[in-house]
Amino acid sequence: VPGKFNPFLPGKVALPELFAGREHEVGLLDAVLRQAKFGNARHVLLTGDRGIGKSSLLLHLKETASGRAPAADGTYFSFLVVNVKLEPSFPARALPARIERDLRAAFVELNRSKALLISAVDFVKKLEVKGFRYHDEAREPETYELIQD
């Protein structure tokens, strides 16, 4: 239809804000995240015909797991999410090493972000504007307490 925009194209991932119509599947994945949050992790196998929305569902899961989007019930998670890129010829025996490598890289980036946040908090604590300055009367928390979940 001329003049209409269809955001859903074969072979393209639907953005989470455009994702709809998979309430049952999203609910199941939310339940898996909830179980993992409480130490009862599960494995998930996602299968389906080409173009049915597997990649879009995984992108939705990534956004929910990382806390960038809420779960269906409004819960926010804060998992460290790592995308492991695999090619068809990638040997299965090398998968653990690839996951370890990508996890290490994610932790390095997370630590950089935490260090930047700590520096910003320290700066704000020292800031004084027109005679006003941040001061916690009861006790000054340790910097690491400010960034804990």
Side-chain angles (χ1 to χ4, degrees):
V1 178
K4 299 266 182 167
F5 172 70
N6 181 1
F8 307 106
L9 301 171
K12 301 292 182 189
V13 176
L15 299 174
E17 57 269 15
L18 300 174
F19 195 78
R22 294 296 180 110
E23 290 81 10
H24 177 72
E25 292 84 354
V26 168
L28 291 173
L29 291 172
D30 287 353
V32 168
L33 291 174
R34 200 168 295 103
Q35 289 294 317
K37 179 179 178 180
F38 293 106
N40 191 17
R42 301 279 186 217
H43 295 282
V44 175
L45 177 63
L46 185 60
T47 64
D49 293 333
R50 183 176 184 267
I52 202 161
K54 298 178 297 295
S55 296
S56 297
L57 188 58
L58 285 174
L59 179 60
H60 188 276
L61 176 63
K62 174 186 173 185
E63 296 296 304
T64 303
S66 66
R68 288 189 206 108
D73 67 358
T75 302
Y76 279 87
F77 297 101
S78 60
F79 289 101
L80 176 64
V81 177
V82 177
N83 289 330
V84 179
K85 304 284 185 196
L86 303 176
E87 299 297 324
S89 62
F90 189 81
R93 67 183 179 281
L95 183 59
R98 176 68 60 92
I99 293 171
E100 179 185 7
R101 183 198 74 185
D102 291 354
L103 274 172
R104 285 183 187 279
F107 279 123
V108 165
E109 184 58 36
L110 181 63
N111 286 332
R112 278 190 201 127
S113 298
K114 281 187 176 183
L116 182 62
L117 181 60
I118 289 169
S119 295
V121 168
D122 287 343
F123 173 77
V124 169
K125 286 168 68 175
K126 295 174 186 172
L127 194 62
E128 185 172 335
V129 177
K130 292 189 176 184
F132 292 98
R133 158 173 192 231
Y134 168 80
H135 181 69
D136 185 352
E137 292 291 328
R139 112 184 138 79
E140 294 213 1
E142 294 293 325
T143 304
Y144 69 87
E145 289 178 297
L146 296 174
I147 58 173
Q148 297 259 332
D149 288 300

